[in-house]
Amino acid sequence: MTLLRVVLLVLLPLQAMAAIDVYQFENEQQEARFRVLAEELRCPKCQNQSIADSDAELAQDMRDRVHSMILEGKSDAEIVDYFRSRFGDFVSYRPPVNAQTSVLWLIPLLMLLGGGTLIIFLLRKASARADENDSNQGDAP
């Protein structure tokens, strides 16, 4: 029984190491670009995960493609455009401002304006009540 535990303890780290992607780059700048792009690109199959965080097979394929495109000398914009052409603007955490994505950019602004308007309205209402209470107390003998 002890031998079985020892074998399992020895083999467990090997399985964990098998899940780690290892990419070779010509320099540190390429590796840094890879890390940034892998965090910037969203896995189309996963629920709000970057391709760096996803274990999906599609994310693995995307990481491999990013790696090969960096080694080919493609720019970051070319790489992002490549994935946008295949998966749409959803693939980027920073979608471009255009007619299709305008809602994504306008909703936070509208929520901020609506919240500010609501706060101003509530403050004025509370101020009016306080003024009314002060004037009513001033009339009492």
Side-chain angles (χ1 to χ4, degrees), residues 48-82:
N48 204 24
Q49 281 186 316
S50 69
I51 64 171
D53 298 332
S54 174
D55 292 330
E57 192 175 326
L58 179 59
Q60 174 63 49
D61 292 344
M62 291 174 73
R63 286 190 299 268
D64 292 344
R65 186 67 184 135
V66 169
H67 175 254
S68 66
M69 291 178 82
I70 286 175
L71 293 179
E72 291 170 7
K74 303 284 185 184
S75 71
D76 291 356
E78 288 174 315
I79 295 170
V80 171
D81 288 343
Y82 171 83

Side-chain angles (χ1 to χ4, degrees), residues 129-141:
R129 281 189 197 156
D131 289 344
E132 185 179 303
N133 287 342
D134 287 344
S135 66
N136 287 342
Q137 287 178 357
D139 291 342

